[in-house]
Amino acid sequence: MPNLVPIGRALISVSDKTGLIELARTLAALGVELISTGGTSGMLRAAGLKVRDVAEVTGFPEMMDGRVKTLHPNVHGGLLALRDDDEHLVAMAAHGIEPIDLLIVNLYPFEETVARGADATTCIENIDIGGPAMIRAASKNHRFVTVVTDPADYPALQDQLRAHDGATTLAFRQKQALTAYSRTAAYDTAVATWLAAEIKEPTPRHRSFAGTLAQTLRYGENPHQSAAFYTDGSRRPGVASAHQWQGKELSYNNINDTDAAFELVAEFAPDSRPACAIIKHANPCGVARATTLKEAYLRAYVCDQTSAFGGIIALNQPLDAETAEEIVKIFTEVVIAPGASDAAKAIFATKKNLRLLTTAALPDPRSKGLAFKQVAGGFLVQDRDAGHVATSDLKVVTKRAPSAAELADLMFAWTVAKHVKSNAIVYVKDGATVGIGAGQMSRIDSTRIAARKALDMAEALGLSAPLTRGAVVASDAFFPFADGLIAAAEAGATAIIQPGGSMRDDEIIAAADAAGLAMVFTGQRHFRH
């Protein structure tokens, strides 16, 4: 297998023309013959470069609005021919096929077209055919052909050519072929995903996911695990699109927890009241709303000051100086918000290890999307949990209906419970969590743990009564037995929100009535594993 292969002829056909002129001039200076298509050839000629049209190589003009221009044996033969195979060389000579040693192609902007909400006809016209075909041909023949699909790789190509007198190394060609195949795979994935949504097919026969490397991480969940962060090209605001103002690079766990925090706080519209969510190991340890962002943070922090240390903070409004002053009083890993004032940034700048991320907006908690999880031998795919209930959806099942204040807290608790690992129990009082039980194997344990944490915080704050006294409780799934509800009542809860649907619902309702609780059913579950 040859190592150094000189480049004598290059075919260039790009949609993204970033950096193209500089690269083409480098190629021309090395004596490389340039072949190009349509708008690309026009741009190169305008820059004073000598270019052959692909139509001259194929003997056919571009036709059908450019759909057919490079799909021709003179192109694919030039890319696929094995230079060390006598039969291939004889075939090339017999049919007038000239070798193409370098292919520079990037594809029609299909993903961008879909992302901006274009109609189906426009999306279809932006599905590239000739580009992927050429890329795959050149990549298959990487023993002899160099393929470049991303302007980000132009400098590396130029370095190769300068260092090796107009040739590229096998290692470079192999790496570029890998990048190229990954690109066409991602492109086809984007098209298939769009078409599945377009025809409302929830379970296509084949399902794939693709991403672009955003960051190589130091390690994964643990130091012995390698990891990387890939973006999927969607425009959903969050950790993938955020701007990091300061602090060291995000870790695997930072990214996971920051996403969980921002998705939770986005449930609370910024034009209603300020909200804050504090996350630790993907579970909230405090969530609150208030009249100011500072107050929302402090009320969230009070829920579990121990767990908040080293946590992730998400805000639903731009970070202000007053809130920043409070946050820097304890160690925090990451703060993410839809913006930050210059004064807040200056305050954070004194804490070099604190990461500050800002986004242009909050994600829409009700927008559709897919979530997937790997299992041995495959992966599970489901809709993103965009479930929502309104007060009008609630069914009062006890003798006593919740008061207006209780109802507001019940809705808040239910929203938070959606983002807590199952089994989830959330105590809320006056628009703030006061106890959270997460991820336990039994619902009674989650209920007791949440109450115990609230009692511990009350003692730490020097309060005579537990924080759960007068609170409401949300359960992400039904109570299978009355014991969990009774434990909540013993902790001081006055109202319950839960899906209902247990075979013992009558028993649970009777227990609630006996304890004087108000209880509502949502008819919707929020398991989170």
Side-chain angles (χ1 to χ4, degrees), residues 137-148:
S139 299
K140 177 174 181 174
N141 203 26
H142 65 264
R143 286 173 56 198
F144 304 101
V145 179
T146 303
V147 57
V148 178

Side-chain angles (χ1 to χ4, degrees), residues 427 435-438 440 444-455:
Y427 290 83
I436 300 174
Q440 297 306 305
I444 179 63
D445 285 343
S446 289
T447 308
R448 288 170 174 164
I449 287 172
R452 180 67 214 187
K453 290 174 77 68
L455 181 61

Side-chain angles (χ1 to χ4, degrees), residues 158-182:
Q158 290 171 292
D159 289 344
Q160 280 274 309
L161 298 175
R162 293 181 184 123
H164 303 292
D165 297 323
T168 61
T169 63
L170 176 61
F172 180 77
R173 296 192 300 277
Q174 288 173 321
K175 186 174 181 179
Q176 289 304 118
L178 169 60
T179 299
Y181 275 125
S182 300

Side-chain angles (χ1 to χ4, degrees), residues 190-213:
V191 175
T193 299
W194 170 79
L195 189 55
E198 191 72 10
I199 66 174
K200 297 179 172 55
E201 173 53 74
T203 55
R205 183 174 301 173
H206 300 283
R207 171 73 79 179
S208 58
F209 297 92
T212 299
L213 181 65

Side-chain angles (χ1 to χ4, degrees), residues 311-345:
I312 310 291
I313 297 173
L315 307 170
N316 74 337
Q317 294 182 357
L319 174 69
D320 55 42
E322 292 76 16
T323 309
E325 288 282 10
E326 291 295 333
I327 290 174
V328 297
K329 291 179 180 178
I330 67 164
F331 170 57
T332 298
E333 289 275 7
V334 181
V335 175
I336 184 168
S341 70
D342 290 340
K345 293 175 188 174

Side-chain angles (χ1 to χ4, degrees), residues 105-406:
V105 170
N106 53 61
L107 306 175
Y108 291 172
F110 175 80
E111 297 99 329
E112 293 85 347
T113 303
V114 171
R116 70 169 185 262
D119 58 58
T121 299
T122 303
C123 290
I124 289 170
E125 288 308 309
N126 276 275
I127 298 175
D128 204 324
I129 301 301
M134 290 191 292
I135 289 171
R136 291 178 63 82
S139 299
K140 177 174 181 174
N141 203 26
H142 65 264
R143 286 173 56 198
F144 304 101
V145 179
T146 303
V147 57
V148 178
T149 58
D150 191 335
D153 292 327
Y154 291 175
L157 172 62
Q158 290 171 292
D159 289 344
Q160 280 274 309
L161 298 175
R162 293 181 184 123
H164 303 292
D165 297 323
T168 61
T169 63
L170 176 61
F172 180 77
R173 296 192 300 277
Q174 288 173 321
K175 186 174 181 179
Q176 289 304 118
L178 169 60
T179 299
Y181 275 125
S182 300
R183 177 65 188 116
T184 56
Y187 196 78
D188 285 343
T189 293
V191 175
T193 299
W194 170 79
L195 189 55
E198 191 72 10
I199 66 174
K200 297 179 172 55
E201 173 53 74
T203 55
R205 183 174 301 173
H206 300 283
R207 171 73 79 179
S208 58
F209 297 92
T212 299
L213 181 65
Q215 179 185 345
T216 300
L217 304 173
R218 288 179 59 201
Y219 52 81
E221 286 185 290
N222 301 291
H224 63 275
Q225 296 172 270
S226 61
F229 180 34
Y230 288 81
T231 57
D232 64 8
S234 68
R235 295 188 176 184
R236 187 172 181 82
V239 65
S241 60
H243 177 79
Q244 182 171 345
W245 294 94
Q246 65 171 66
K248 58 188 177 181
E249 286 191 343
L250 296 169
S251 70
Y252 181 100
N253 293 328
N254 290 155
I255 293 169
N256 188 54
D257 289 351
T258 301
D259 177 69
F262 206 50
E263 290 289 332
L264 168 50
V265 86
E267 297 275 1
F268 306 105
D271 58 358
S272 57
R273 298 173 68 191
C276 173
I278 306 175
I279 297 289
K280 195 71 169 290
H281 298 303
N283 272 308
C285 53
V287 187
R289 285 188 297 184
T291 56
T292 68
L293 208 57
K294 173 184 173 180
E295 185 185 359
Y297 164 70
L298 290 174
R299 298 190 72 213
Y301 176 56
V302 164
C303 179
D304 188 349
Q305 294 180 1
T306 302
S307 299
F309 184 85
I312 310 291
I313 297 173
L315 307 170
N316 74 337
Q317 294 182 357
L319 174 69
D320 55 42
E322 292 76 16
T323 309
E325 288 282 10
E326 291 295 333
I327 290 174
V328 297
K329 291 179 180 178
I330 67 164
F331 170 57
T332 298
E333 289 275 7
V334 181
V335 175
I336 184 168
S341 70
D342 290 340
K345 293 175 188 174
I347 293 167
F348 273 20
T350 64
K351 301 289 183 180
K352 65 178 182 178
N353 290 328
L354 172 58
R355 293 97 154 179
L356 172 61
L357 307 181
T358 61
T359 64
L362 293 171
D364 181 358
R366 301 188 198 180
S367 66
K368 295 180 179 180
L370 294 177
F372 63 97
K373 178 183 293 186
Q374 185 178 17
V375 297
F379 51 89
L380 297 167
V381 181
Q382 64 175 349
D383 293 334
R384 179 189 295 124
D385 185 358
H388 173 79
V389 296
T391 53
S392 58
D393 299 317
L394 303 179
K395 179 182 179 183
V396 178
V397 294
T398 48
K399 295 176 181 177
R400 184 174 77 82
S403 67
E406 286 174 327

Side-chain angles (χ1 to χ4, degrees), residues 402-452:
S403 67
E406 286 174 327
L407 184 60
D409 278 347
L410 287 169
M411 294 300 292
F412 184 88
W414 179 251
T415 301
V416 174
K418 171 183 172 182
H419 294 266
V420 179
K421 300 289 186 181
S422 300
N423 288 311
I425 293 291
V426 178
Y427 290 83
V428 166
K429 185 175 182 181
D430 299 330
T433 57
V434 292
I436 300 174
Q440 297 306 305
M441 289 69 73
S442 68
R443 198 156 299 277
I444 179 63
D445 285 343
S446 289
T447 308
R448 288 170 174 164
I449 287 172
R452 180 67 214 187

